Amino acid sequence: MRQSLIRYFIGKLMQIEAGLLLLPLLVSFLYGESLKQKFAYGSVVISLYLVGFLLCFKKPAHFKLTAREGIFTVALAWIFLSLFGALPLVLSGEIPNPFDAFFEISSGFTTTGSSILSDLSVLEKSSLFWRSFTHLIGGMGILVFTLAILPNAGSDTVQLMRAEVPGPVFGKIVSKLTQTARILYAIYISMTAVMIFILCLTGVPLFDSLLLSFGTAGTGGFGINNAGFAIYSNPQLVEWIIGVGMMLFGVNFNIYYFILIGSGFEALKDEEFKTYLGIILAATIGIFLNILPHYQNIWDGLRIAFFNVSSILTTTGYATADFNDWNIISHLILISLMFIGGSAGSTAGGLKVSRVLIYIKMALSELRRVGQPRRVVTPLFNKKIIEKERQINLAHYLLVYILVFGLILFSVSFESKDLTTAFTAVAATFNNIGPGLGAVGPTSNFSAYSDWNTLVLTFSMLAGRLEIYPMLILFAPSTLKTFSKLRFWLR
């Protein structure tokens, strides 16, 4: 493993984050915030740039990354960017506890949306902007963003994208990797811009439109005020717009590309896409029928059911109702959606619809084989055979997913009030959703946990966003021993 190459990429990312932090610094000046607030962001910008400059001062001879190097780089990048991104909140005194600040910004970058804040009024406009802006950057991927803007990023950096893009399958939509990243980000930013424009047309202030669109596009869902959508002149319309937006951003972005080049009819035949829409329809109807007695107006019940199904399935985490007031059937539907998640290649978290669909096909094939031992049964996905090696890899991933989930749950259970709170706290962070049920429901937060479990749940968010393996490999004893050596950073 070439340490100089990893160090160089981390240094470049530090400089990029310094540039990104200039935006909340600008917001601080625009809104005339205190000198302390400007210093909090300005000092981190300067520190990041200097650290990045030192790390990438010496360019490596070759830029071709191996799979192992790509995994290490991605895992390190997400941790460092979250750590440095949390510093302004600590320095400004808005979130003085560094563990809580690390949790908050990790929640932003991983597009989880879980928070330790019970009162958003403690945050200045600049910090509100930074929290939501991390959703936009983390949604498509920090490394994908880097590949999209760096002029010298070649196809050799495919391992970075492979380690970061969520879902069981990674593929390039065009031959060049940098072109793929730029196409994806062009679609992503264009859709976000359209949403900002539509929200502004409904009377939502520009600042709020930006933040709500960042949270929707990145399927993150950070709240931006204590009153929710109720402060707007037409909250029901805003709810429908964001509900549809969340659903659209939970679709594989490759489908949008194929629609743009005129192959939309074939793209819409995709099994995952059809299953995704089917899940939204079925879950919306199921919850609508269960919560209808709580609402006098049928359209209110339908709107609330659709919005919250779209929010939980896409792991956005916006909420317009307190799930704790719903019945157990609705709770079971929501918990199921937490684990399914959105489409592969989208900004959503969870296991992903395609992966769940393949698991079901594998199980059904095995059942047929048990009934007829001599029969050769091969599961298909999008009319293509699911290779045995791929089935084994997916089975291994599910096993690791369950084991890591169980270990995190064990730790969190010591401080949770009940099993529902503990289980959904882990489900909400591990699947990058945001709110859970019980004491971590949509009207509550994660502030009750100790520094240790705040750190555990932060790991849960990062592991869930990077699909577990990069974080596990990074924290392996042999890896920690290598990274702890000073020569790793100076070489």
Side-chain angles (χ1 to χ4, degrees):
M1 184 174 65
R2 288 159 301 163
Q3 300 164 4
S4 60
L5 186 57
I6 296 174
R7 172 183 48 74
Y8 179 81
F9 273 108
I10 296 298
K12 280 294 181 186
L13 287 166
M14 295 296 101
Q15 292 179 321
I16 288 171
E17 187 175 29
L20 296 175
L21 277 164
L22 288 173
L23 290 174
L25 180 60
L26 176 62
V27 171
S28 184
F29 276 97
L30 288 174
Y31 284 91
E33 294 173 357
S34 67
L35 183 61
K36 183 180 180 181
Q37 192 74 9
K38 296 185 182 77
F39 173 78
Y41 282 95
S43 60
V44 175
V45 168
I46 295 170
S47 300
L48 271 170
Y49 184 80
L50 291 176
V51 171
F53 177 79
L54 291 173
L55 289 177
C56 62
F57 179 73
K58 184 179 179 182
K59 289 186 179 181
H62 301 285
F63 283 87
K64 189 174 182 179
L65 283 164
T66 64
R68 187 181 178 209
E69 289 165 346
I71 288 173
F72 286 155
T73 302
V74 167
L76 276 176
W78 280 75
I79 292 174
F80 284 173
L81 291 178
S82 296
L83 281 170
F84 277 98
L87 285 180
L89 299 177
V90 177
L91 294 175
S92 66
E94 294 165 302
I95 305 181
N97 185 324
F99 291 97
D100 288 345
F102 182 41
F103 176 94
E104 196 77 11
I105 294 302
S106 295
S107 180
F109 275 124
T110 59
T111 71
T112 303
S114 299
S115 180
I116 52 85
L117 295 170
S118 55
D119 182 11
L120 293 174
S121 65
V122 302
L123 296 180
E124 297 283 0
K125 293 281 189 181
S126 54
S127 294
L128 285 172
F129 180 90
W130 176 235
R131 286 167 78 245
S132 294
F133 188 59
T134 57
H135 285 330
L136 187 71
I137 299 301
M140 188 62 72
I142 299 168
L143 277 299
V144 177
F145 173 76
T146 303
L147 296 177
I149 65 173
L150 287 181
N152 61 345
S155 59
D156 293 338
T157 52
V158 67
Q159 301 300 340
L160 295 176
M161 202 165 174
R162 188 184 299 275
E164 187 180 54
V165 174
V169 181
F170 166 77
K172 295 185 288 184
I173 56 179
V174 291
S175 57
K176 292 185 177 180
L177 179 67
T178 50
Q179 192 178 350
T180 296
R182 287 165 188 164
I183 288 171
L184 290 175
Y185 250 96
I187 295 171
Y188 183 48
I189 297 301
S190 298
M191 290 175 63
T192 306
V194 169
M195 185 161 188
I196 293 169
F197 179 72
I198 292 173
L199 286 173
C200 285
L201 288 179
T202 64
V204 178
L206 177 59
F207 184 80
D208 289 22
S209 295
L210 284 167
L211 269 56
L212 288 172
S213 298
F214 293 166
T216 303
T219 59
F222 267 145
I224 63 173
N225 59 67
N226 292 328
F229 300 154
I231 65 171
Y232 305 122
S233 58
N234 196 337
Q236 290 82 12
L237 181 58
V238 172
E239 196 171 329
W240 277 113
I241 292 168
I242 293 178
V244 172
M246 291 186 293
M247 181 181 70
L248 294 176
F249 280 101
V251 173
N252 190 324
F253 275 73
N254 287 3
I255 287 180
Y256 295 132
Y257 171 74
F258 290 121
I259 290 173
L260 288 174
I261 63 173
S263 302
F265 184 73
E266 291 299 318
L268 296 178
K269 291 182 179 179
D270 179 72
E271 270 193 80
E272 182 184 42
F273 177 69
K274 292 188 290 185
T275 304
Y276 171 74
L277 294 181
I279 292 170
I280 290 176
L281 179 62
T284 299
I285 293 173
I287 289 182
F288 168 69
L289 294 175
N290 277 281
I291 68 172
L292 190 56
H294 295 278
Y295 301 94
Q296 295 180 346
N297 189 314
I298 291 177
W299 294 109
D300 286 343
L302 183 61
R303 183 189 72 253
I304 289 168
F306 168 72
F307 182 92
N308 288 283
V309 164
S310 182
S311 179
I312 295 300
L313 181 64
T314 62
T315 70
T316 305
Y318 284 135
T320 55
D322 187 357
F323 312 144
N324 291 320
D325 295 335
W326 295 357
N327 60 31
I328 192 170
I329 299 299
S330 297
H331 288 175
L332 289 173
I333 294 173
L334 290 175
I335 291 172
S336 299
L337 297 178
M338 287 181 182
F339 286 95
I340 295 171
S343 305
S346 71
T347 59
L351 280 168
K352 308 294 181 300
V353 173
S354 58
R355 191 180 274 125
V356 172
L357 192 56
I358 292 172
Y359 285 141
I360 293 172
K361 288 175 176 285
M362 288 167 56
L364 292 175
S365 295
E366 195 60 33
L367 285 173
R368 294 192 192 101
R369 208 169 7 245
V370 170
Q372 296 174 295
R374 295 185 179 181
R375 184 180 177 184
V376 177
V377 182
T378 305
L380 303 176
F381 183 72
N382 280 330
K383 298 180 181 180
K384 295 179 181 178
I385 293 174
I386 305 171
E387 300 294 340
K388 197 69 179 178
E389 182 181 358
R390 187 179 175 197
Q391 293 183 49
I392 293 171
N393 290 338
L394 287 168
H396 288 168
Y397 179 82
L398 183 60
L399 178 60
V400 173
Y401 179 97
I402 293 170
L403 288 173
V404 174
F405 187 97
L407 288 173
I408 298 171
L409 178 60
F410 182 78
S411 177
V412 171
S413 295
F414 286 99
E415 296 179 19
S416 298
K417 294 181 179 180
D418 50 70
L419 180 60
T420 299
T421 296
F423 187 84
T424 58
V426 180
T429 52
F430 202 42
N431 295 310
N432 306 133
I433 294 161
L437 295 170
V440 292
T443 60
S444 306
N445 56 70
F446 288 72
S447 60
Y449 289 106
S450 66
D451 289 346
W452 166 251
N453 273 322
T454 298
L455 199 59
V456 168
L457 290 172
T458 303
F459 169 84
S460 178
M461 292 187 290
L462 290 165
R465 174 59 182 83
L466 298 179
E467 309 234 296
I468 307 173
Y469 291 126
M471 294 300 292
L472 291 185
I473 293 173
L474 183 62
F475 282 96
S478 58
T479 307
L480 290 174
K481 184 178 179 181
T482 300
F483 290 155
S484 65
K485 295 176 181 178
L486 184 61
R487 64 188 177 92
F488 174 84
W489 304 104
L490 300 177
R491 206 164 170 180

